[in-house]
Amino acid sequence: MHRYRLLGGAVLLAAALLVPTSTASAAAACTWRPTALPVPGEGGLPTATDHQGGFAGPARIGIRDWPIAWKNGAYSVFSVMNEVLGYEVADENRAGTIVGTARVSFPGVSVTTAYRSRGNVLEELPKLGKNTKSAALGINDAGDITGYVWGDGSGLTTVVRWPAAQPGTVTTLPGLPPEIGAPQAVDKDGSVLLRRESALAIWRAGTITQLGMLPGLRFPDGSAFSNGRVVGTADYNGKIVGVYWDQQGTAHVLPNSGHNIPSGNPDYDINRDGLITGRIDEAHGGNDSKGTGYGVWRQGVWVSTFGDVKLDLPSRISDDGTVGGGREGDDQTYHPYVWRCS
């Protein structure tokens, strides 16, 4: 599962669903062929996938972002908890249940709360103790949800789980006490990616293991975690690059990679088989001022550029090899697409 940074302002990307493709074909250089998806309003962005051809994400309806799901070329809109809130979608499992964070902030009002879907209706997840804020990171196929809570006055963040077997309850994770900073991402087996001081670490079944580093690599930041593999960014000898950590925790700098400028454009993502999408540097066609130019890697090895390097922004890669994201139109707005590698 991945941690996703939404686009800033009112500009949204939109998603698209792809016909499943094999890992072998996705691993070789190919042409990423786009298919547009319908949206209920100005656009939408797939920030989650059920890994079975379906995607979900926020869509602009009126002046707010509401969660929607795409499946079989159509979309459905979830009934929200409160129309004032904006909704980020963090993850979706194979049953189609989505989880995420609803928030709103303006003078005198600040609300951040984790939610899940039940059918087509969203419901708030309970908070822990005196904590007033919560966020959901991921849900597995058993329905267990992982996220974090804060706001009890201590200045610390606590990683929590909402277990499917105990509806309406929230629990802490053994061996993971409250600390400064939020967790980065969660894998389908419940492992949690943490940023601790100047390194990344994985909590798994009560044990914390630090991920490896390289000479010249500093300030790592994780963005996605799948099947024991991690992708993110770091400073490498003065340049921000993409980094891949394999299942043994060894770090690899992604060749031709660039950084995600603070525009809110999609970050690095990875699927179960180690297929990666992310920014490329200016030497290979990226544009740092616009945040455009994406590439594809497989387990740290360069494969190819992705789609149109000036227009296409992949946001979520599925285990079936399809990719959802946005394409900039003549109206300078991003519209939802999915891509298939062929």
Side-chain angles (χ1 to χ4, degrees):
M1 305 179 200
H2 73 308
R3 184 190 48 158
Y4 187 79
R5 300 184 180 109
L6 289 177
L7 294 182
V11 179
L12 286 175
L13 295 183
L17 300 179
L18 300 178
V19 177
T21 185
S22 69
T23 300
S25 66
C30 62
T31 300
W32 289 92
R33 303 187 184 280
T35 302
L37 286 184
V39 290
E42 297 177 13
L45 178 67
T47 55
T49 176
D50 66 3
H51 300 289
Q52 302 176 117
F55 287 88
R60 180 54 55 105
I61 302 176
I63 62 172
R64 303 290 178 194
D65 298 339
W66 286 33
I68 69 172
W70 291 274
K71 191 77 173 181
N72 300 323
Y75 70 83
S76 57
V77 180
F78 290 91
S79 297
V80 296
M81 300 178 296
N82 187 316
E83 294 186 12
V84 174
L85 299 171
Y87 294 83
E88 303 167 9
V89 181
D91 199 22
E92 181 180 16
N93 67 9
R94 291 180 183 272
T97 302
I98 66 169
V99 297
T101 306
R103 66 181 82 233
V104 65
S105 180
F106 51 85
V109 178
S110 178
V111 176
T112 303
T113 188
Y115 72 83
R116 60 157 291 161
S117 67
R118 197 174 297 278
N120 69 341
V121 177
L122 302 188
E123 62 181 29
E124 183 176 354
L125 292 169
K127 298 177 178 65
L128 181 72
K130 296 182 179 180
N131 288 281
T132 60
K133 299 182 184 299
S134 61
L137 287 176
I139 180 171
N140 63 20
D141 290 335
D144 299 315
I145 301 166
T146 303
Y148 55 100
V149 297
W150 71 102
D152 63 356
S154 69
L156 301 177
T157 297
T158 302
V159 181
V160 297
R161 182 155 293 152
W162 293 275
Q166 299 171 297
T169 66
V170 56
T171 64
T172 57
L173 303 185
L176 194 52
E179 57 185 30
I180 297 174
Q184 305 275 283
V186 59
D187 205 344
K188 289 294 187 183
D189 68 353
S191 302
V192 181
L193 179 65
L194 309 167
R195 183 167 57 191
R196 314 192 101 196
E197 298 179 352
S198 59
L200 295 180
I202 292 174
W203 175 95
R204 181 180 287 115
T207 301
I208 297 176
T209 305
Q210 185 169 306
L211 294 180
M213 293 289 282
L214 295 169
L217 202 65
R218 304 184 303 161
F219 313 125
D221 185 31
S223 60
F225 187 16
S226 180
N227 195 18
R229 303 181 176 101
V230 173
V231 288
T233 58
D235 181 297
Y236 183 58
N237 295 325
K239 177 186 176 183
I240 305 299
V241 298
V243 183
Y244 160 70
W245 285 267
D246 60 29
Q247 290 175 322
Q248 288 70 49
T250 303
H252 308 265
V253 173
L254 294 175
N256 309 339
S257 62
H259 68 292
N260 223 351
I261 60 174
S263 63
N265 284 1
D267 214 328
Y268 286 85
D269 195 29
I270 187 169
N271 74 359
R272 174 188 59 201
D273 298 318
L275 197 64
I276 299 165
T277 56
R279 282 288 315 283
I280 55 176
D281 61 18
E282 292 193 321
H284 296 88
N287 185 323
D288 285 351
S289 65
K290 293 186 177 180
T292 57
Y294 281 74
V296 181
W297 297 260
R298 186 172 188 271
Q299 296 188 24
V301 178
W302 170 253
V303 176
S304 67
T305 57
F306 181 88
D308 188 317
V309 296
K310 295 182 179 180
L311 302 177
D312 295 344
L313 284 79
S315 59
R316 192 69 176 103
I317 182 166
S318 172
D319 287 346
D320 64 12
T322 60
V323 178
R327 168 172 284 188
E328 186 175 8
D330 294 336
D331 57 359
Q332 297 183 331
T333 297
Y334 286 97
H335 300 276
Y337 279 82
V338 325
W339 285 262
R340 178 179 183 271
C341 179
S342 63

